[in-house]
Amino acid sequence: MQKQDVIIRFDEVGFKYSDKKLILDEVDFSVRKNSKITIMGQNGAGKSTIFKLLTGVYKPTFGQINIQRGAKIAIAQQVIPKEQLDISILSYFSAALPELKHGIERNIRDVLRVVNLEIPLEKLDMKISELSGGQKARILLAYALIQEPDILLLDEPTNNLDQEGVEHLTQFLIDYSKTCIVISHDADFLNAFTDGVLNLDVHTRKVEQFVGNYYDVVNQIEAQIERERLQNARLEKSIKDRFVKINKLGGKSVAMNRLANKVRANIAEDKDKMVDMRQEDKTIPEFTIPMQNHPGALVKINKISFLQNSKVVEKTVNIQVYKGNRLIILGPNGIGKSTLLKAILDNQGAQISEGVRVGYYSQDFSELDFSMTAFESLKSVMLGNDYQNLYAAAGRFMLPGEILQHEVGSLSEGQKGLLCYARFMLQEPGLLIMDEPTNHINFRHIPVIAKALDQFTGGLILVSHLPDFVRQIHINEELDLRKL
């Protein structure tokens, strides 16, 4: 690789928060100009940390990061920060181009077309909070693109996108001519355009670089892990056999003692050859969400509102969700599915029966108090005071005791998602209201979560744009907003 082709180089980079343990340790990798790279690894492995190091939000604890002189970096974040939700679309984009005082409206219009989002110029004073989850996902990408970066960073860009949105984004990245680095748990999406992978190991804090499409690299990693396992197994057996030999040799004569010492030296050499086994990306174990046994209808929905041809439409309905019912709400991005779920939650046009405990998974984790520690968040919904049960539930979702002491706001988005499922286990809800419950979740966990929701015996109201996930849940009622 010629030096001039390299646009990013990490040279033995380490990073840790204050005096806490290392997140990244002696990380080495390089990225060629105009390549498309995926960062993969478990939740909490440091994927978003690498992005923050690239954008200068964090400085490395040690080592060096070299970025080609003059190269401009822009990032499409996972979510729009809460403090920016109440500003207008125009103000949001103006922050990306502070040097452009006039005429930014045309730039916004052009970049919104690139991400397949039509917003008339006269509606640019609309607040960000008024957009749907899918529209916000497109806005996040547009915010990065309007800066015309040489290096585009995408953090979970398919979250909240419907199938049409994912297909449009995929084609955009296939055609994209500049350097792009992507964090995503959507394997099929990644495989469509990736030509290299950076694999982060949450245990060793190292990064390995692979060339090839996503599925090829996953297979390479799994094959390498198996080779390392077999190598270690052979060495362990050999070492064990030689220990038996030492016990037979030792103490019988000077010559045998010398031979025993030589065998011990050989054992020490072979121990050094043992490979530090990398941990394969773990999957959460199967779990069950206990149900609150509540008689009668859990919720009655009488009136719904949604967007039709850019106008708010109200319809009278008669939908009742009982124990064992699974209702899915269908419709494209921007039609108002998330707004409808929030209305049901707030008893607007709906009535949740008195005493029903509701578990809610939102797209932006608005149901979580970010200032609480993860422990306090779990405790706030737990029935009773069995802290052993709390720690056990957290552990199932890869949230060890150390992580529980962190504020919710400091957790990765994936860890926030897993925290929600630990809360459901402790809360024992009668009704689950789920808005894109696979958002931010590692794809390895998704079949386990689908099985838990399918086996949940309470009521379920679901919005999801992930067809494979939905197919694993026995849905017995549909509400398609396009057909009303």
Side-chain angles (χ1 to χ4, degrees):
M1 185 185 298
Q2 294 182 355
K3 191 171 181 180
Q4 61 265 33
D5 290 335
V6 174
I7 195 167
I8 296 169
R9 188 186 299 278
F10 273 51
D11 186 8
E12 296 189 349
V13 171
F15 177 78
K16 64 179 179 179
Y17 298 99
S18 62
D19 59 348
K20 297 178 182 176
K21 68 179 182 181
L22 285 170
I23 302 298
L24 301 171
D25 185 18
E26 295 184 353
V27 167
D28 287 292
F29 68 83
S30 57
V31 176
R32 288 186 297 108
K33 190 176 181 181
N34 304 333
S35 60
K36 295 164 188 174
I37 302 296
T38 291
I39 301 182
M40 63 182 285
Q42 243 175 270
N43 291 329
K47 300 186 295 295
S48 294
T49 300
I50 285 182
F51 274 11
K52 288 176 180 176
L53 287 166
L54 285 170
T55 54
V57 174
Y58 294 157
K59 301 296 181 187
T61 305
F62 54 84
Q64 285 190 325
I65 299 172
N66 298 301
I67 299 171
Q68 189 178 80
R69 186 182 298 275
K72 188 174 184 180
I73 299 177
I75 182 170
Q77 304 275 12
Q78 287 191 42
V79 294
I80 295 173
K82 288 186 176 181
E83 62 271 16
Q84 293 183 325
L85 291 175
D86 287 331
I87 66 174
S88 69
I89 296 172
L90 180 61
S91 298
Y92 178 72
F93 280 105
S94 295
L97 297 175
E99 71 282 359
L100 191 59
K101 301 298 183 184
H102 304 288
I104 193 174
E105 290 85 357
R106 293 183 180 276
N107 299 67
I108 296 172
R109 180 196 62 193
D110 293 343
V111 78
L112 290 181
R113 285 176 178 166
V114 172
V115 300
N116 201 28
L117 180 60
E118 288 291 336
I119 296 179
L121 292 179
E122 62 270 18
K123 290 195 174 182
L124 292 182
D125 59 350
M126 182 169 51
K127 289 184 178 180
I128 297 290
S129 59
E130 297 177 49
L131 299 173
S132 73
Q135 289 170 328
K136 287 174 186 168
R138 289 174 168 86
I139 286 282
L140 285 164
L141 175 58
Y143 182 88
L145 292 177
I146 202 171
Q147 300 173 59
E148 299 184 353
D150 302 291
I151 303 167
L152 176 64
L153 308 180
L154 304 180
D155 198 351
E156 299 287 0
T158 61
N159 279 347
N160 305 321
L161 287 180
D162 55 20
Q163 190 61 36
E164 180 187 348
V166 173
E167 290 172 359
H168 182 271
L169 176 59
T170 302
Q171 191 59 51
F172 168 80
L173 290 173
I174 289 171
D175 297 336
Y176 192 63
S177 61
K178 294 186 178 180
T179 307
C180 183
I181 306 177
V182 183
I183 297 171
S184 176
H185 288 122
D186 188 332
D188 290 337
F189 164 71
L190 292 171
N191 199 58
F193 61 86
T194 296
D195 53 35
V197 171
L198 300 174
N199 181 46
L200 279 67
D201 189 309
V202 70
H203 300 278
T204 66
R205 310 295 177 187
K206 307 289 186 186
V207 173
E208 286 185 294
Q209 188 161 13
F210 295 85
V211 176
N213 67 38
Y214 184 79
Y215 285 133
D216 283 348
V217 170
V218 169
N219 290 334
Q220 287 179 53
I221 292 170
E222 290 177 349
Q224 190 167 332
I225 288 173
E226 180 61 14
R227 286 194 300 271
E228 291 170 354
R229 187 191 67 77
L230 290 172
Q231 177 185 336
N232 282 357
R234 285 192 295 268
L235 287 170
E236 284 172 356
K237 185 178 184 305
S238 175
I239 289 168
K240 184 178 179 180
D241 291 344
R242 281 176 284 174
F243 269 122
V244 173
K245 184 177 181 180
I246 288 173
N247 290 333
K248 291 179 179 179
L249 291 173
K252 294 183 178 179
S253 69
V254 173
M256 285 188 175
N257 275 332
R258 286 175 180 167
L259 183 56
N261 288 334
K262 185 176 181 181
V263 173
R264 288 190 185 97
N266 289 338
I267 287 173
E269 289 178 9
D270 279 352
K271 280 187 174 180
D272 289 338
K273 293 177 185 176
M274 296 276 285
V275 178
D276 286 334
M277 281 293 291
R278 294 164 303 157
Q279 300 291 320
E280 192 174 6
D281 206 3
K282 289 184 179 179
T283 302
I284 57 174
E286 292 187 0
F287 66 98
T288 300
I289 301 173
M291 177 205 68
Q292 174 196 19
N293 194 7
H294 193 283
L298 300 169
V299 60
K300 297 178 181 179
I301 306 171
N302 306 310
K303 185 174 65 176
I304 61 173
S305 300
F306 58 95
L307 285 177
Q308 194 174 76
N309 299 322
S310 301
K311 294 182 180 179
V312 177
V313 175
E314 290 189 354
K315 295 283 185 179
T316 300
V317 295
N318 181 21
I319 298 173
Q320 299 186 28
V321 177
Y322 292 84
K323 182 172 63 175
N325 287 157
R326 286 86 175 270
L327 167 68
I328 187 167
I329 299 173
L330 303 172
N333 285 148
I335 201 169
K337 301 184 298 297
S338 296
T339 302
L340 175 55
L341 290 187
K342 289 177 182 176
I344 294 170
L345 195 66
D346 294 337
N347 286 312
Q348 296 176 5
Q351 184 177 0
I352 297 173
S353 297
E354 187 175 352
V356 172
R357 290 194 295 273
V358 181
Y360 177 46
Y361 191 109
S362 70
Q363 292 185 11
D364 57 2
F365 303 121
S366 58
E367 72 278 21
L368 300 177
D369 184 339
F370 283 19
S371 66
M372 281 185 172
T373 64
F375 177 87
E376 291 168 340
S377 182
L378 292 173
K379 182 182 174 183
S380 69
V381 298
M382 181 175 68
L383 302 181
N385 294 301
D386 186 351
Y387 293 142
Q388 187 174 349
N389 191 31
L390 184 153
Y391 282 108
R396 294 185 76 87
F397 295 96
M398 302 182 180
L399 300 170
E402 178 194 354
I403 295 293
L404 294 184
Q405 304 312 311
H406 295 178
E407 287 190 356
V408 172
S410 72
L411 302 181
S412 72
E413 298 304 302
Q415 288 170 328
K416 291 187 185 97
L418 294 177
L419 177 67
C420 289
Y421 286 101
R423 281 164 55 96
F424 298 150
M425 285 189 69
L426 297 170
Q427 181 188 18
E428 300 183 15
L431 175 66
L432 285 174
I433 296 179
M434 314 291 279
D435 192 1
E436 301 291 357
T438 57
N439 269 8
H440 315 290
I441 300 293
N442 188 315
F443 72 94
R444 294 180 185 272
H445 307 327
I446 290 176
V448 181
I449 289 171
K451 185 173 182 179
L453 293 182
D454 185 53
Q455 293 178 344
F456 178 63
T457 53
L460 173 65
I461 302 176
L462 173 68
V463 167
S464 176
H465 286 123
L466 205 60
D468 289 342
F469 172 72
V470 173
R471 277 193 287 270
Q472 297 174 67
I473 302 171
H474 292 88
I475 303 295
N476 50 30
E477 189 170 359
E478 291 185 356
L479 175 61
D480 193 334
L481 301 182
R482 293 165 295 189
K483 297 178 180 179
L484 294 178

